[in-house]
């Protein structure tokens, strides 16, 4: 009597195992959900629009490298924040240097606390607030300036066949200020990365400029307005589809979550607007196939190297999917 139930349970058990196997493969094996179906020919002149996101810029650097090395005809690169640095290095053309940077850069090479900010925490009450206000920013921009100056050969950028567009924000005029191959500089890239409060505004030609992400986190509208005849714009968004944030419990996490929520929704809005304004252009978002597990300020070389490789894999998978659909 005890054998019958076991025998009748075998088909169910086998089906359950099969179902689990299918689900496991579906969840574990990378798929091509990082990109959307292609509209138009694969060889259409393309723009890469880079959104940055601090350390998450490692993923978009990997994706951009794979698209270019895979033969995508990139004619323009545009970015703000960390995306501006990536864009400038792509225009520089030494792709090995871009890859090496994201495999090795550390927090100390990007930012450090201003001494006044550190000692402000030792002061009583209102003196802390006054000291922080007088500091102008929480972080010292000197490490980032050294990093940018050593990473980019601006003469190579000026001679590059790839058009560059860097977006900053003019605080006084409350409008975007754009830089191209001819006008980009260390100061312009510093301004493009100057998140208000974190880094001080940067004076360029008498104007105080900050992070272009205030107006165009992924400057797809600016790229399509300024670019040559483009048939495609790929907006690299370093947040996986459906990726959720975390419940903030501390001030830093609250600020990070607020920043990231605003960033993602601004990019999604601008992509939809770009599709409406430029219906002849294939405007699409490319995102990671899985959450990166990186916070914007977590400049951990091992984690960024992993994000770089995932970006490469995601972009290569997109190219393979697009080519298969055209064959």
């Amino acid at each position: 009597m005890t054998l019958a139930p076991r025998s009748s349970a075998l088909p169910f058990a086998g089906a359950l195992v099969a179902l689990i196997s299918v689900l496991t493969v579906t969840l574990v094996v990378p798929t091509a959900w990082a990109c959307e179906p292609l509209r138009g020919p694969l060889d259409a002149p393309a723009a890469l629009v880079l959104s940055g996101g601090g350390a998450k810029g490692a993923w978009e650097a990997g994706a951009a490298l794979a698209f270019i090395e895979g033969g995508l005809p990139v004619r323009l690169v545009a970015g703000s924040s960390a995306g501006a640095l990536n864009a400038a290095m792509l225009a520089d053309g030494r792709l090995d240097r871009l890859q090496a940077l994201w495999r090795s850069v550390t927090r100390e090479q990007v930012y450090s606390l201003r001494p006044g900010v550190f000692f402000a925490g030792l002061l009583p009450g209102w003196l802390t607030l006054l000291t922080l206000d007088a500091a102008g920013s929480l972080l010292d921009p000197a490490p980032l300036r050294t990093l940018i100056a050593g990473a980019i050969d601006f003469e190579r950028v000026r001679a590059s066949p790839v058009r560059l567009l860097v977006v900053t924000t003019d605080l006084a005029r409350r409008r975007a200020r754009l830089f191209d191959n001819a006008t980009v500089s260390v100061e312009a890239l510093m301004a493009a990365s100057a998140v208000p409060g974190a880094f001080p505004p940067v004076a360029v030609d008498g104007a105080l400029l900050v992070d272009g992400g205030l107006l165009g986190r992924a400057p797809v509208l600016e790229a399509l307005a300024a670019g040559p005849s483009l048939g495609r714009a790929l907006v690299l968004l370093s947040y996986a589809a459906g990726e959720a944030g975390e419940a903030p419990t501390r001030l830093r996490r609250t600020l990070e979550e607020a920043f990231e929520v605003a960033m993602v929704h601004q990019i999604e809005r601008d992509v939809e607007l770009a599709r409406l304004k430029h219906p002849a252009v294939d405007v699409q978002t490319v995102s990671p196939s899985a959450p990166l597990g990186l916070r914007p300020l977590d400049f951990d070389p091992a984690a960024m190297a992993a994000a770089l490789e995932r970006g490469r894999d995601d972009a290569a998978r997109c190219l393979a999917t697009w080519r298969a659909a055209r064959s």
Side-chain angles (χ1 to χ4, degrees):
M1 295 295 293
T2 57
L3 294 177
R6 290 189 182 180
S7 176
S8 61
L10 284 176
F12 174 76
L16 183 60
V17 171
L19 177 61
I20 292 173
S21 298
V22 170
L23 289 174
T24 300
V25 170
T26 302
L27 292 173
V28 175
V29 175
T31 62
W33 63 66
C35 50
E36 304 166 13
L38 201 66
R39 290 193 301 115
L42 185 56
D43 61 355
L48 290 180
V49 182
L50 311 173
S51 60
K56 290 174 179 283
W59 176 87
E60 73 174 21
L65 288 168
F67 279 131
I68 292 172
E69 292 168 354
L72 192 75
V74 175
R75 301 289 181 263
L76 182 147
V77 287
S80 64
S81 194
L85 176 59
N86 277 337
M89 294 191 73
L90 290 170
D92 177 305
R94 294 175 293 175
L95 303 185
D96 57 327
R97 291 175 66 89
L98 176 59
Q99 179 169 269
L101 183 144
W102 285 108
R103 286 185 180 279
S104 62
V105 68
T106 62
R107 178 185 64 80
E108 291 77 13
Q109 292 175 285
V110 179
Y111 66 88
S112 61
L113 278 178
R114 286 185 179 275
V117 172
F118 176 80
F119 289 110
L122 304 177
L123 299 174
W126 59 273
L127 285 177
T128 296
L129 297 178
L130 288 177
T131 303
L132 289 176
D133 185 51
S137 68
L138 295 175
L139 306 178
D140 182 356
L144 182 60
R145 185 184 303 277
T146 300
L147 179 69
I148 291 173
I152 298 169
D153 182 338
F154 289 94
E155 291 309 310
R156 290 180 62 90
V157 173
R158 303 198 200 297
S160 175
V162 176
R163 185 167 181 182
L164 172 66
L165 186 67
V166 169
V167 180
T168 67
T169 300
D170 186 323
L171 282 179
R173 295 179 176 83
R174 298 179 178 175
R175 64 198 315 174
R177 170 82 178 272
L178 307 182
F179 295 87
D180 58 16
N181 300 65
T183 58
V184 71
S185 63
V186 172
E187 299 304 312
L189 291 176
M190 287 290 297
S193 302
V195 177
F199 288 110
V202 179
V204 180
D205 300 330
L208 287 178
L209 308 180
V210 296
D211 188 353
L214 293 182
L215 302 177
R217 175 54 58 185
V220 60
L221 293 167
E222 291 83 355
L224 292 176
S229 298
L230 294 170
R232 178 165 294 109
L234 300 182
V235 179
L236 305 188
L237 171 62
S238 54
Y239 294 80
E243 180 178 346
E246 298 178 14
T249 56
R250 310 186 76 166
L251 177 60
R252 172 184 165 179
R253 184 54 55 85
T254 299
L255 293 174
E256 283 183 340
E257 290 293 347
F259 171 82
E260 291 179 289
V261 166
M263 172 179 172
V264 170
H265 283 274
Q266 184 187 68
I267 292 172
E268 291 174 344
R269 180 201 64 197
D270 287 351
V271 166
E272 290 302 318
L273 184 56
R275 288 168 175 163
L276 290 173
K277 293 185 68 173
H278 303 273
V281 180
D282 178 20
V283 180
Q284 63 169 284
T285 303
V286 180
S287 57
S289 53
L292 300 178
L294 266 176
R295 308 297 303 181
L297 296 179
D298 291 342
F299 287 90
D300 175 63
M304 289 187 296
L308 180 84
E309 290 307 312
R310 177 169 290 168
R312 277 186 167 279
D313 292 343
D314 288 337
R317 211 171 303 124
C318 286
L319 286 172
T321 301
W322 292 336
R323 289 190 173 114
R326 288 290 182 264
S327 60

